[in-house]
């Protein structure tokens, strides 16, 4: 068998197994060395191909699809720096536990480290940021090598999905000529046509005696709370709320926990905790004796400080992925068990608690705080807080909402309160970077509709190339661009107290007219001047096809003042509420 036949047979077997392993979507960035893999993938009838010329954007686009589907997505590029441009998205996927199958073409071994063009060291290129790396063999059509190709493919897909999910990297050295022999029998497999190897996987569980011991610990607590951080697991929302109802524990629901917008309403969801826990009086009144935490660390810094300031409370961290999510070094118990399984198992060993004194304090403070937060509706000038507070009312039921990092995700945490619209909230909260946000949201848009993205001007600028996906793949997305002309979050940090170099080093105003970029990518752009115009522009995008960008210009200094005024007002109200409770007692 000649080189072309061996190349074709080997790669076709890999691609056929990729589909058999459940991979539906492939994101390809054009390049020469990856030619045979790309051409064979294009021939497969069951693969959805997205061709994206910018590798950094392409990888985040793939990440968005995988995040939305909770399934592995393959991403393919040529050799050299193309593979290096995948790195930021791979880091995000690793920390966020998003399954990606990264396929990089490479020069064959004889062309490495000899000055050949477009040749870099791609062996373990992504280091420990991937779960598994394989330097694939050179294409070979021998029976055992076809089995090898299929086995590695199946194992890669299973490894990417094995909890905690994450990226895997397969590096393909390929010799020229690179053109495969495409024919009708390309994917005809000689054996095990439904897949070469079935890989069965389960979830982490605990023995019944451990469940009983934990149930006893939870029922012994007088002032227990549940912190639900970023977590997307089928059935978790309803299971954790059943657990909370039996225990009478308040649930501090991070916006990425998917509890803020669920149909269930047990009255135990606390959604204004980020503002509440900025009050020293509130923190003293709400001091817990037990904290049980699910998911990644919450967005709210006030909450993480609250957790850290209560080292005497028993702190139980639940992680079905077997990680070590304890940056505060405060955990007393690290429990490796599937989150939904554990909640359901605990419920079987619990009787309804009759003690509501502690949770009632949380409820009262939460209710009063929410009334103060609602005051942002009265603001007449364009405001970031009001924008996020209105979102719960304005977004259609069942919409997907992707939120940028820095201030947008924090404002969402503060102002996007409990609703029953089943809005799926997503963000890149692994490495918390501003890169790739547009591209990731575009990936989500291939799965979820209607789709909305809220982000700041620096984040938007950082990933303008991501807008091309809307044009190429005819995606429908509305982007709410919060333009405060710079890095708004730095106004809240200690750097702001050093004004000499603050604006140059941290404020970083861009003074850009984004309408030109949006027009270049075939989208519509409107910069609103007031709330009436914003409401009209928002409503006009509903049900519309294509890319729509609504710019809301705000002032960084005014945003800082509005937040601080809110925190002061809430602290004052909480103080009065607690004083009244003492007097009544």
């Amino acid at each position: 068998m000649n080189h072309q036949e061996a190349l074709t047979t080997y790669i076709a077997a890999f691609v056929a197994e990729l589909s058999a392993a459940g991979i539906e979507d492939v994101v390809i960035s054009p390049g020469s060395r990856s030619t045979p893999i790309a051409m064979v993938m294009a021939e497969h009838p069951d693969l959805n191909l997205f061709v994206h010329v910018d590798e950094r954007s392409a990888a985040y686009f793939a990440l968005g699809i995988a995040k939305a589907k909770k399934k592995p997505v393959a991403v393919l590029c040529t050799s050299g720096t193309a593979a290096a441009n995948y790195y930021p998205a791979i880091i995000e996927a690793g920390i966020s536990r998003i399954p990606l199958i990264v396929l990089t073409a490479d020069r064959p071994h004889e062309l490495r480290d000899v000055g050949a063009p477009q040749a870099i060291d791609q062996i373990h290129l992504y280091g420990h940021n991937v779960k598994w790396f394989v330097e694939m063999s050179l294409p070979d059509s021998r029976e055992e090598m076809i089995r090898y190709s299929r086995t590695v493919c199946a194992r890669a897909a299973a490894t990417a999905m094995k909890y905690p999910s994450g990226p895997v990297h397969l590096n393909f050295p390929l010799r020229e000529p690179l053109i495969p022999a495409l024919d009708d029998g390309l994917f005809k497999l000689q054996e095990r046509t439904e897949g070469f190897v079935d890989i069965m996987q389960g979830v982490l569980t605990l023995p019944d005696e451990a469940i009983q011991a934990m149930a006893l610990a939870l029922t012994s607590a007088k002032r227990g709370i549940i912190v639900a951080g970023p977590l997307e697991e089928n059935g978790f929302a309803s299971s954790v709320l059943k657990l909370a109802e039996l225990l009478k524990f308040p649930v501090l629901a991070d916006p990425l926990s998917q509890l803020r917008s669920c149909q269930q309403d047990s009255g135990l969801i606390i959604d204004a905790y980020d503002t509440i826990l900025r009050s020293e009086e509130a923190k003293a009144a709400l001091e817990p004796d037990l904290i049980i935490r699910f998911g990644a660390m919450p967005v709210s810094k006030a909450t993480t400080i609250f957790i850290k300031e209560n080292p005497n409370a028993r702190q139980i961290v639940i992680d079905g992925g077997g990680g070590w999510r304890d940056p505060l070094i405060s955990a007393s118990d690290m429990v490796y068990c599937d989150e939904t399984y554990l909640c359901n198992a605990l419920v079987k060993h619990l009787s309804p608690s009759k003690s509501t004194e502690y949770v009632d304090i949380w409820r009262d403070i939460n209710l009063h705080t929410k009334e103060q937060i609602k005051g942002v509706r009265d603001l007449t000038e364009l405001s970031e807080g009001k924008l996020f507070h209105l979102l719960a009312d304005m977004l259609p039921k069942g919409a997907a909402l992707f939120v940028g990092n820095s201030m947008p995700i924090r404002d969402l945490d503060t102002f996007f309160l409990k609703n029953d619209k089943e809005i799926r909230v997503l963000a890149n909260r692994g490495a918390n970077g501003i890169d790739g946000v547009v591209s990731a949201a575009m990936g989500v848009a291939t799965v979820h509709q209607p789709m909305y993205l809220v982000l700041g001007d620096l984040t938007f600028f950082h990933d303008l190339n991501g807008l091309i996906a809307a044009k190429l793949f005819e995606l429908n997305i509305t982007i709410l661009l919060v333009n405060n002309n710079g890095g708004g979050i730095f106004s809240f940090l200690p750097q702001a107290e050093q004004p000499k170099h603050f604006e140059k080093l941290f404020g970083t105003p861009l003074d850009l007219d984004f309408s030109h970029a949006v027009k270049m990518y075939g989208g519509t752009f409107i910069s609103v001047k007031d709330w009436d115009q914003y409401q009209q522009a928002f409503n006009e995008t509903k049900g519309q096809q294509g890319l729509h960008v609504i710019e809301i210009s705000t002032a960084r200094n005014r945003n800082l003042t509005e937040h601080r005024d809110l925190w002061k007002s809430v602290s004052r109200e909480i103080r009065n509420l607690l004083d009244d409770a003492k007097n009544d007692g």
Side-chain angles (χ1 to χ4, degrees):
M1 187 175 286
N2 63 31
H3 168 76
Q4 186 184 44
E5 291 171 335
L7 175 75
T8 305
T9 303
Y10 180 85
I11 291 175
F14 180 90
V15 172
E17 193 69 30
L18 199 66
S19 177
I23 309 305
E24 300 171 339
D25 303 287
V26 178
V27 180
I28 298 174
S29 293
S32 177
R33 190 60 52 168
S34 55
T35 292
I37 306 175
M39 289 182 67
V40 171
M41 284 177 164
E43 288 290 310
H44 200 287
D46 297 326
L47 292 179
N48 303 318
L49 261 62
F50 299 92
V51 179
H52 200 317
V53 298
D54 181 332
E55 283 85 8
R56 187 181 76 163
S57 180
Y60 274 107
F61 182 76
L63 181 143
I65 300 173
K67 184 188 289 280
K69 285 191 171 184
K70 303 178 188 177
K71 295 179 64 175
V73 172
V75 57
L76 169 69
C77 73
T78 190
S79 63
T81 56
N85 279 303
Y86 279 172
Y87 212 160
I90 288 170
I91 291 171
E92 175 63 29
I95 302 175
S96 293
R97 302 179 174 182
I98 305 299
L100 290 180
I101 301 176
V102 182
L103 310 175
T104 56
D106 200 354
R107 292 305 199 249
H109 303 79
E110 67 271 16
L111 291 181
R112 297 176 184 176
D113 199 26
V114 292
Q118 206 171 323
I120 67 171
D121 185 357
Q122 295 178 201
I123 306 301
H124 291 287
L125 178 62
Y126 309 118
H128 295 293
N129 292 290
V130 293
K131 297 178 66 178
W132 190 47
F133 168 76
V134 176
E135 164 79 339
M136 296 293 290
S137 71
L138 286 160
D140 191 322
S141 60
R142 286 176 297 165
E143 184 176 301
E144 63 268 29
M145 296 311 294
I146 297 304
R147 290 177 175 176
Y148 162 81
S149 175
R150 296 181 65 187
T151 300
V152 171
C153 182
R155 185 178 172 188
T159 303
M161 273 304 293
K162 181 183 177 183
Y163 208 72
S165 301
V168 298
H169 176 206
L170 309 183
N171 192 57
F172 284 79
L174 300 170
R175 289 193 177 111
E176 297 179 353
L178 299 168
I179 305 301
L182 305 181
D183 56 51
D184 292 338
L186 192 62
F187 302 108
K188 186 177 181 180
L189 298 170
Q190 300 301 316
E191 58 180 341
R192 304 185 194 178
T193 56
E194 299 302 316
F196 191 75
V197 54
D198 289 329
I199 301 173
M200 298 183 183
Q201 303 191 59
V203 298
L204 284 172
T205 61
L206 292 176
D208 194 61
E209 55 268 26
I211 299 289
Q212 292 183 38
M214 186 178 297
L216 179 62
L218 296 179
T219 53
S220 300
K222 304 298 182 185
R223 298 167 67 86
I225 63 173
I226 294 173
V227 176
L231 178 65
E232 282 209 59
E233 184 178 310
N234 294 336
F236 172 72
S238 59
S239 296
V240 76
L241 290 178
K242 288 177 184 176
L243 177 65
E245 181 61 38
L246 286 173
L247 294 168
K248 296 298 184 291
F249 281 11
V251 181
L252 279 58
D254 187 275
L256 299 175
S257 70
Q258 310 309 320
L259 287 166
R260 289 275 185 100
S261 194
C262 63
Q263 291 283 353
Q264 300 98 322
D265 187 3
S266 61
L268 294 171
I269 293 178
I270 306 299
D271 48 0
Y273 56 81
D274 180 69
T275 304
I276 292 169
L277 295 177
R278 296 176 187 274
S279 160
E280 294 300 323
E281 290 87 351
K283 289 196 289 185
L286 298 170
E287 182 178 336
D289 60 7
L290 185 145
I291 301 170
I292 181 168
R293 187 161 63 76
F294 296 90
M297 289 300 295
V299 169
S300 167
K301 187 173 183 179
T303 304
T304 60
I305 291 173
F306 181 64
I307 294 171
K308 186 174 184 178
E309 288 176 343
N310 284 280
N312 294 326
R314 184 171 182 177
Q315 299 195 18
I316 305 172
V317 177
I318 315 298
D319 188 359
W324 197 268
R325 287 171 158 172
D326 184 34
L328 305 176
I329 320 176
S330 60
S332 56
D333 302 77
M334 192 66 66
V335 180
Y336 293 150
C337 183
D338 179 79
E339 292 84 356
T340 302
Y341 171 89
L342 180 63
C343 290
N344 292 335
L346 286 169
V347 164
K348 296 176 183 177
H349 292 281
L350 294 171
S351 299
S353 172
K354 297 180 180 179
S355 175
T356 64
E357 181 180 352
Y358 181 62
V359 73
D360 286 342
I361 301 173
W362 272 101
R363 283 169 165 161
D364 289 344
I365 293 177
N366 193 59
L367 183 63
H368 281 74
T369 301
K370 287 168 72 169
E371 288 301 315
Q372 294 296 307
I373 291 174
K374 289 177 183 177
V376 298
R377 289 176 175 267
D378 299 328
L379 296 174
T380 57
E381 295 178 304
L382 292 176
S383 155
E384 296 170 32
K386 182 173 180 176
L387 170 70
F388 281 94
H389 191 65
L390 293 177
L391 274 178
D393 295 334
M394 298 177 69
L395 288 174
K397 189 172 183 178
L401 174 65
F402 205 105
V403 186
N405 284 319
S406 296
M407 279 310 296
I409 190 66
R410 289 169 172 81
D411 280 335
L412 183 85
D413 195 11
T414 300
F415 296 101
F416 186 79
L417 301 178
K418 176 73 175 69
N419 60 83
D420 62 356
K421 285 188 164 183
E422 299 288 347
I423 296 164
R424 187 177 179 190
V425 183
L426 305 102
N428 286 345
R429 291 301 292 173
N432 298 358
I434 66 170
D435 44 350
V437 171
V438 174
S439 299
M442 291 292 177
V444 175
T446 68
V447 180
H448 276 297
Q449 289 295 322
M451 179 68 204
Y452 294 83
L453 167 63
V454 187
L455 76 176
D457 54 299
L458 293 186
T459 303
F460 190 58
F461 167 75
H462 208 277
D463 194 22
L464 281 176
N465 278 1
L467 295 175
I468 190 65
K471 182 176 184 292
L472 291 176
F473 312 126
E474 298 181 344
L475 301 178
N476 306 319
I477 186 169
T478 297
I479 299 177
L480 306 180
L481 170 58
V482 181
N483 192 345
N484 54 27
N485 200 24
I489 194 170
F490 291 106
S491 298
F492 292 78
L493 300 179
Q495 294 93 313
E497 304 302 321
Q498 305 295 323
K500 183 178 180 181
H501 300 296
F502 176 79
E503 195 66 5
K504 180 179 180 180
L505 296 177
F506 304 105
T508 57
L510 299 178
D511 296 311
L512 289 176
D513 181 352
F514 289 107
S515 65
H516 304 296
V518 175
K519 183 179 179 180
M520 180 175 71
Y521 290 112
T524 65
F525 180 93
I526 180 172
S527 183
V528 299
K529 305 304 179 186
D530 54 45
W531 290 113
D532 289 338
Q533 193 179 12
Y534 167 71
Q535 181 86 47
Q536 180 181 352
F538 190 96
N539 289 336
E540 287 177 353
T541 66
K542 289 183 178 179
Q544 295 295 311
Q545 305 294 304
L547 166 67
H548 305 278
V549 179
I550 303 173
E551 181 185 60
I552 304 97
S553 296
T554 63
R556 276 185 272 135
N557 290 337
R558 189 170 67 242
N559 184 50
L560 176 64
T561 300
E562 288 171 1
H563 280 73
R564 288 182 172 170
D565 287 347
L566 171 65
W567 297 333
K568 289 178 182 177
S569 174
V570 168
S571 292
R572 184 170 56 250
E573 287 297 315
I574 290 175
R575 190 181 308 116
N576 293 338
L577 178 66
L578 294 174
D579 287 345
D580 290 343
K582 287 180 183 178
N583 294 333
D584 291 342

